[in-house]
Amino acid sequence: MYDLAIIGSGPAGLTAAIYAQRYNMKSIVFGDVMGGLMTENPFIENYPGFKLVDGAKLGKEMEEHAKGLGAELKMEKIKSVEKKGDSFELTSEWDTKITAKTVLIAHGLKHRKLGIRSENEFHGKGVSSCATCDGAFFKDNVVAVVGGGDSAGVAALILSEFASKVYVIYRRDKFFRMQSAYIKKMKENGKTEFIFSDEVVEILGKEKLEGVKLKTGKTLELGGLFIEIGFEPLIPFTTNFELDRDKRGFIKVGKNQATNIDGVFAAGDITDASNLFHQIATAVGEGSIAADSAYLFGLNQS
């Protein structure tokens, strides 16, 4: 019997594990990548205490911190959570079964897709949503990034280290959500060209990506297309209870990160908390609050 089972191994989940262990709670973390989406960003410049840190390095530090305090970490995805009396039974994709007194949902978000024809067909054949993972495969290629937020800016900067040219395609007439530091770096690197007020409407190619057609009718010959148009909430496991979610799908939580189900808490990007300001700092804050709330919940139940 675990005191706290954490679904998600990003900054919210790992922080919760750190705090849970300091409360002498027996905790376990399930996730497919320790550090979560943070590990895809090598240019983190707004996490307190670090002027510049690689997300993979920061994720590893958090992982080692939680592990060093005794948290159990499993590289497995959860496929079901069932409430059974005063406890919960979790089953993983590998049929690992554990029982826990409380559950924290902290698995973050999934990449949003363009929703156009052939997008799935060409994924992995020139279409990607992870510049950190795939950027090196496009050395000396012409590539494009679709999006206008921070993730698009980071992707373009990563790709500029490998590609001969990087287009950034954004449907609005200027960047509204991207940090000015990223825009400045893109303008200075000599490889980036902005295409505003346009959208990708068709992916061109036979066996692999060869280019894209834009809404204005223009076509671009490309070796790679990176889709960075944000994220959307997804609960990738089944439950025998129904969580309250807002109209966009984010899990509703109270100020103590509690959901509408007793014993179930949520933290990080998947919640409607922190004014939907999806940052590592806010995820860490929510994770620590959730662990504290789970501890207090356990005290009240005993």
Side-chain angles (χ1 to χ4, degrees):
M1 172 70 78
Y2 291 87
D3 295 304
L4 176 63
I6 301 167
I7 304 172
S9 53
L14 292 175
T15 299
I18 290 167
Y19 275 78
Q21 291 303 126
R22 288 179 59 82
Y23 282 130
N24 203 30
M25 300 171 74
K26 185 180 180 183
S27 66
I28 184 169
V29 179
F30 290 92
D32 53 349
V33 177
M34 292 299 158
L37 287 173
M38 169 175 65
T39 62
E40 297 180 7
N41 187 350
F43 304 120
I44 295 171
E45 299 175 285
N46 56 5
Y47 190 70
F50 297 88
K51 291 182 179 179
L52 174 65
V53 62
D54 186 322
K57 182 179 185 298
L58 184 58
K60 189 65 177 178
E61 295 279 358
M62 291 185 182
E63 176 189 353
E64 293 298 329
H65 193 169
K67 189 187 296 182
L69 290 172
E72 191 174 337
L73 309 179
K74 281 193 172 292
M75 299 279 282
E76 299 178 40
K77 295 179 182 179
I78 292 298
K79 67 179 183 181
S80 69
V81 180
E82 294 189 4
K83 186 172 177 60
K84 295 188 173 182
D86 292 332
S87 63
F88 300 86
E89 183 180 86
L90 286 74
T91 305
S92 81
E93 59 185 338
W94 297 343
D95 290 327
T96 300
K97 288 184 183 291
I98 66 107
T99 304
K101 297 175 183 176
T102 59
V103 172
L104 171 61
I105 300 171
H107 61 76
L109 307 175
K110 70 166 186 174
H111 286 279
R112 182 176 286 122
K113 295 183 178 182
L114 291 171
I116 61 176
R117 187 171 62 85
S118 300
E119 182 176 4
N120 292 333
E121 177 187 342
F122 285 102
H123 190 83
K125 299 176 182 178
V127 175
S128 173
S129 56
C130 181
T132 302
C133 314
D134 300 331
F137 296 120
F138 297 88
K139 184 174 176 61
D140 298 326
N141 276 236
V142 176
V143 301
V145 176
V146 180
D150 283 350
S151 59
V154 169
L157 290 172
I158 294 170
L159 291 167
S160 68
E161 297 181 11
F162 303 100
S164 59
K165 185 177 184 62
V166 181
Y167 292 104
V168 179
I169 305 166
Y170 188 40
R171 60 188 177 86
R172 304 183 73 173
D173 61 356
K174 63 180 178 180
F175 297 121
F176 290 90
R177 301 283 295 177
M178 189 185 296
Q179 294 181 44
S180 58
Y182 294 152
I183 299 171
K184 183 173 184 290
K185 288 179 181 178
M186 285 190 290
K187 287 180 177 178
E188 291 175 347
N189 67 26
K191 287 187 176 182
T192 308
E193 179 179 334
F194 303 142
I195 300 177
F196 291 113
S197 303
D198 216 340
E199 302 175 46
V200 173
V201 294
E202 186 178 352
I203 295 172
L204 307 174
K206 294 181 180 178
E207 294 183 359
K208 63 178 183 178
L209 171 82
E210 296 175 9
V212 296
K213 183 177 180 180
L214 304 182
K215 191 174 183 179
T216 54
K218 183 178 180 179
T219 60
L220 300 175
E221 292 185 8
L222 301 173
L225 177 67
F226 289 79
I227 300 168
E228 295 287 354
I229 56 174
F231 304 88
E232 57 188 9
L234 172 72
I235 297 180
F237 50 85
T238 62
T239 65
N240 64 348
F241 51 82
E242 188 173 349
L243 291 163
D244 280 349
R245 301 168 72 180
D246 69 14
K247 61 183 180 181
R248 295 157 295 190
F250 293 97
I251 298 174
K252 293 182 178 181
V253 293
K255 62 182 180 180
N256 62 347
Q257 303 300 136
T259 71
N260 60 304
I261 305 297
D262 284 345
V264 179
F265 302 85
D269 293 350
I270 192 65
T271 77
D272 67 346
S274 298
N275 200 31
L276 292 179
F277 190 46
H278 298 150
Q279 299 291 305
I280 298 170
T282 54
V284 164
E286 290 184 31
S288 60
I289 294 168
D292 180 68
S293 298
Y295 172 69
L296 294 175
F297 179 85
L299 287 181
N300 292 331
Q301 295 297 105
S302 59

